[in-house]
């Protein structure tokens, strides 16, 4: 169906920045209620959701229960999950799965029922999946729906530069989000897009690290833009390192799904010895933070480049049936999972903290939502339970949409936005500065703010990030912007927030492990690390039942 012409092509009811599972879910729920702009900084399906392998956790079996799923999530979160958030997401999980099925998601079945697998940290089989490529299956299914909808306007190759707020423009009344500036990567122009309501669904920031399982788009864009607009962040020190990424120079940290261990895969040293039972009674099925630290410890103790992950004892037929995509990718790199162990290492995988929101996706700034990995609802606490991430995208994407539909009637109409001003900048003459700073950032974040941290390492990292910030600010002020400069600017900002959050936590908990404070602080209740920007946007105070 041909989409109707727009009288004001840059004014929308809803602007959603990010086209992963959270953004697509929100867009599809909103599309019958207003004009939706969906921004994708590369292709429509190039974000992290596409690469999720394991599945989506939900209570779908009579042997399972909400209480069990809640408890597993709380246990993994190491005392920092907000139970109200956990219960909200868990109890809405079956509804989210039914919606996906109705939209056409091709989940794997067995004997006429949806097949449920088990992953680390789960006490039951509750992970519904599409073979070993769940993210690709659900992302492409919803992307096709969005592309066909006449009221969803998809802007690919558009990277958001910054949010536009009424305070920045001097508009009277309470501060609120008015839309965004976005760079059209095809034309090189920056345009202003007005929206009654705007949502950030930009994913995480794992590309701040040298080794990551994430695509190159995971540069913390939404978190940085929200911070600059006056929104608080929470718990950014909790960066989840996936324990098992394929170790190969050309693999670019190809993820080996949690489900491989869930289905019996064993972690081995070069001599064939298991080591996980020495670290945790749950062995290979322990939560990711425990498994990642154990692998890191053994690699450093023995000077190893990688450890082995072995599921060959299950037989070729089982492996090919359960993990067809992983099996083929490993074969392409010269490793046969059916013949013996494959080499794996930890890599930065998931940003557990993010923009502080309530359970409707609302941020501190009026008319601005944040959903998915860029947001912090309290679901994940100090460590994310496997396969709760896609679930959060679905549940909070729908919750934010329902709130936005209600709020549209009382929202402010788009105002005239000033065009992007490039009158005082020139073409960049030293592009190497951007690439060099990018490499420097990722290296020192890996070395100093990685799986194991110390006060001295964090001090060194903060000193280096301050120097980078100064260079990038000068570069940003004097030269025309590019995709790489925007991403670097955002990554450095998020890196600073991660470091500052880590410095303020004087204990080890979940994904944050400090040699200076190797135990949890038991002298007081567990607390969130909330950072407040200099220009705190107090226009939209979050409800007290979620955040005091």
């Amino acid at each position: 169906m041909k989409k109707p012409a727009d009288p004001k092509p840059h004014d929308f009811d809803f602007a959603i920045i990010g086209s992963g599972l959270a953004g697509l879910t929100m867009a599809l729920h909103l599309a019958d209620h207003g004009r939706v702009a969906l921004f994708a900084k590369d292709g429509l399906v190039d974000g992290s959701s596409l690469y999720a392998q394991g599945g989506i956790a939900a209570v779908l079996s009579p042997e399972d229960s909400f209480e069990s799923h809640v408890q597993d999530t709380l246990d993994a979160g190491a005392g920092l999950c907000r139970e109200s958030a956990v219960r909200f997401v868990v109890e809405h999980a079956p509804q989210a799965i039914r919606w996906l099925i109705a939209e056409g998601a091709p989940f794997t079945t067995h004997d006429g029922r949806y097949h449920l697998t088990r992953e680390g940290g789960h006490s039951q089989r509750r992970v519904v999946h599409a073979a070993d490529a769940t993210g690709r299956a659900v992302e492409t299914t919803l992307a096709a729906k969005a592309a066909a909808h006449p009221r969803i306007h998809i802007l690919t190759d558009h990277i958001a530069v910054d949010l536009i707020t009424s305070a920045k423009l001097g508009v009277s009344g309470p501060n609120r989000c008015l839309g965004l500036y976005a760079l059209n990567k095809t034309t090189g122009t920056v345009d202003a897009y007005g929206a009654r309501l705007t949502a950030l669904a930009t994913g995480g920031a794992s590309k701040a690290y040298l080794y990551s399982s994430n695509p190159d788009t995971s540069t913390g864009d939404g978190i940085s833009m929200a911070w600059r607009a006056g929104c608080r962040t929470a718990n950014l020190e909790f960066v989840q390192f996936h324990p098992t990424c394929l170790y190969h120079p050309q693999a670019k940290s190809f993820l080996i799904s949690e489900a491989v261990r869930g289905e019996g895969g064993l972690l081995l040293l070069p001599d064939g010895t298991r080591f996980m039972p020495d670290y945790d009674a749950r062995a290979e099925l322990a939560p990711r933070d425990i498994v990642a630290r154990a692998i890191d410890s053994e690699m450093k103790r023995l000077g190893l480049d990688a450890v082995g992950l072995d599921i060959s004892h299950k037989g070729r037929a089982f492996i090919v049936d359960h993990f067809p995509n992983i099996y083929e990718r490993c074969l392409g790199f010269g490793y046969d999972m059916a013949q013996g162990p494959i080499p794996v290492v930890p890599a930065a995988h998931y940003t557990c903290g993010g923009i502080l929101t309530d359970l409707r996706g609302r941020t501190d700034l009026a008319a601005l939502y944040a959903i998915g990995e860029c947001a912090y609802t309290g679901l994940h606490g100090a460590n994310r339970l496997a396969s709760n991430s896609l679930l959060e995208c679905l549940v909070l994407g729908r919750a934010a949409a329902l709130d936005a539909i209600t709020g549209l009637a009382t929202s402010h109409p788009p105002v005239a936005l000033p065009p992007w001003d490039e009158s005082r900048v020139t073409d960049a003459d030293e592009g190497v500065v951007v690439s060099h700073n990018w490499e420097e950032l990722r290296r020192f974040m890996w070395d100093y703010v990685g799986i194991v941290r110390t006060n001295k390492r964090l001090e060194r990292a903060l000193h280096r990030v301050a120097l980078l910030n100064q260079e990038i600010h000068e570069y940003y002020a004097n030269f025309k912007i590019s995709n790489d400069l925007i991403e670097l600017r955002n990554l450095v900002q998020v890196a600073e927030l991660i470091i500052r959050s880590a410095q303020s936590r004087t204990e080890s908990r979940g994904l944050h492990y400090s040699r200076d404070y190797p135990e949890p602080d038991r002298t007081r209740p567990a607390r969130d690390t909330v950072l407040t920007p200099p220009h705190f946007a107090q226009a939209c105070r979050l409800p007290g039942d979620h955040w005091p």
Side-chain angles (χ1 to χ4, degrees):
M1 178 185 298
K2 186 177 180 180
K3 297 182 179 181
D6 299 318
K8 293 182 179 179
H10 286 175
D11 284 348
F12 295 90
D13 295 305
F14 310 104
I16 301 174
I17 307 171
S19 61
L21 186 57
L24 286 169
T25 298
M26 189 174 185
L28 288 167
H29 280 90
L30 289 174
D32 292 335
H33 301 272
R35 296 177 59 247
V36 181
L38 184 64
F39 292 84
K41 70 175 177 177
D42 285 335
L44 180 57
V45 292
D46 285 339
S48 293
S49 295
L50 185 73
Y51 299 93
Q53 294 174 341
I56 305 170
V59 175
L60 301 174
S61 165
E63 289 80 34
D64 200 1
S65 68
F66 288 152
E67 285 303 318
S68 177
H69 191 178
V70 166
Q71 193 58 53
D72 289 345
T73 302
L74 294 175
D75 288 345
L80 271 185
C81 297
R82 298 187 72 85
E83 188 168 342
S84 59
V86 175
R87 291 192 177 278
F88 180 82
V89 173
V90 165
E91 291 171 4
H92 285 83
Q95 177 188 49
I97 299 301
R98 290 193 295 269
W99 178 74
L100 271 183
I101 292 170
E103 293 294 313
F107 291 121
T108 298
T109 59
H110 180 71
D111 292 336
R113 301 173 63 182
Y114 288 105
H115 182 263
L116 302 177
T117 190
R118 182 182 175 190
E119 297 183 348
H122 289 276
S123 58
Q124 300 288 334
R125 285 182 171 268
R126 65 167 66 97
V127 180
V128 64
H129 60 101
D132 59 347
T134 307
R136 179 172 295 275
V138 298
E139 175 81 357
T140 54
T141 297
L142 297 189
K145 294 277 187 177
H149 201 292
R151 302 191 80 180
I152 298 178
H153 301 255
I154 298 170
L155 294 96
T156 56
D157 293 311
H158 280 66
I159 179 171
V161 180
D162 255 325
L163 298 171
I164 304 172
T165 65
S166 58
K168 288 180 181 178
L169 299 189
V171 176
S172 61
N175 191 23
R176 67 186 190 277
C177 184
L178 304 176
L180 67 145
Y181 288 111
L183 169 69
N184 183 329
K185 291 160 51 174
T186 303
T187 65
T189 58
V190 177
D191 293 307
Y193 294 86
R196 290 175 178 267
L197 299 167
T198 301
L200 297 167
T202 54
S206 289
K207 292 303 287 188
Y209 288 90
L210 185 61
Y211 302 111
S212 169
S213 66
N214 288 190
D216 291 340
T217 54
S218 299
T219 52
D221 302 334
I223 298 170
S224 288
M225 287 190 292
W227 176 264
R228 292 193 292 266
C231 297
R232 291 172 295 171
T233 63
N235 291 9
L236 281 169
E237 69 270 33
F238 298 117
V239 178
Q240 187 175 76
F241 289 80
H242 196 288
T244 54
C245 289
L246 186 66
Y247 179 74
H248 187 280
Q250 275 78 52
K252 202 175 182 181
S253 297
F254 174 64
L255 186 70
I256 305 298
S257 171
E258 188 93 11
V260 173
R261 284 180 287 124
E263 293 292 345
L266 303 175
L267 289 166
L268 307 176
L269 297 176
D271 64 359
T273 303
R274 288 179 69 192
F275 58 88
M276 277 310 304
D278 296 333
Y279 287 88
D280 193 280
R282 292 163 290 186
E284 281 79 6
L285 291 178
R288 289 176 176 175
D289 59 327
I290 296 172
V291 179
R293 276 201 302 275
I295 294 173
D296 182 69
S297 175
E298 291 298 314
M299 288 172 59
K300 288 175 177 173
R301 183 177 70 88
L302 298 173
L304 304 175
D305 291 325
V307 299
L309 177 61
D310 188 15
I311 196 171
S312 60
H313 54 278
K314 300 290 283 190
R316 189 178 305 276
F318 178 92
I319 295 169
V320 172
D321 180 57
H322 283 71
F323 310 109
N325 295 288
I326 296 175
Y327 177 77
E328 288 298 327
R329 284 293 300 274
C330 287
L331 274 183
F333 291 115
Y335 302 120
D336 188 342
M337 295 174 68
Q339 290 292 326
I342 58 175
V344 294
V345 294
H349 181 61
Y350 192 85
T351 306
C352 287
I355 307 158
L356 197 60
T357 75
D358 65 9
L359 295 182
R360 287 177 277 182
R362 300 188 303 175
T363 70
D364 290 312
L365 180 62
L368 179 67
Y369 295 84
I371 51 176
E373 190 176 354
C374 70
Y376 184 74
T377 61
L379 171 64
H380 304 306
N383 181 31
R384 176 177 69 90
L385 181 65
S387 289
N388 270 355
S389 53
L390 294 183
L391 174 62
E392 183 182 35
C393 291
L394 292 165
V395 173
L396 269 297
R398 178 178 183 272
L402 295 178
D403 190 79
I405 291 167
T406 301
L408 185 63
T410 57
S411 65
H412 294 266
V415 302
L417 301 177
W420 183 257
D421 183 7
E422 288 188 334
S423 61
R424 289 172 291 179
V425 298
T426 62
D427 290 323
D429 60 354
E430 290 289 343
V432 69
V433 172
V434 174
S435 59
H436 180 271
N437 285 355
W438 182 291
E439 292 302 319
E440 181 182 350
L441 171 72
R442 298 180 69 202
R443 170 62 70 181
F444 74 65
M445 286 295 289
W446 182 264
D447 290 341
Y448 299 151
V449 201
I451 296 173
V452 176
R453 301 161 179 175
T454 67
N455 288 343
K456 180 157 291 206
R457 291 178 186 177
L458 294 176
E459 288 172 8
R460 289 172 176 166
L462 190 62
H463 174 69
R464 282 160 174 75
V465 88
L467 295 176
L468 287 183
N469 250 327
Q470 185 176 349
E471 285 189 18
I472 292 164
H473 178 75
E474 180 181 349
Y475 201 90
Y476 183 83
N478 290 287
F479 299 111
K480 290 182 179 179
I481 60 173
S482 65
N483 180 85
D484 290 348
L485 178 59
I486 294 168
E487 290 186 329
L488 178 61
R489 178 184 183 225
N490 291 333
L491 273 178
V492 171
Q493 178 63 78
V494 172
E496 179 188 345
L497 297 176
I498 292 171
I499 297 163
R500 287 174 52 193
S501 296
Q503 286 181 315
S504 67
R505 184 166 294 281
T506 54
E507 63 169 350
S508 287
R509 184 180 294 274
L511 299 165
H512 173 76
Y513 183 80
S514 170
R515 285 183 177 170
D516 296 298
Y517 313 102
E519 300 295 331
D521 184 353
R522 306 188 189 283
T523 64
R524 57 179 177 174
R527 60 181 177 83
D528 295 300
T529 304
V530 178
L531 299 182
T532 302
H535 304 291
F536 177 34
Q538 302 183 57
C540 180
R541 300 306 295 268
L542 298 177
D545 59 332
H546 299 310
W547 293 103

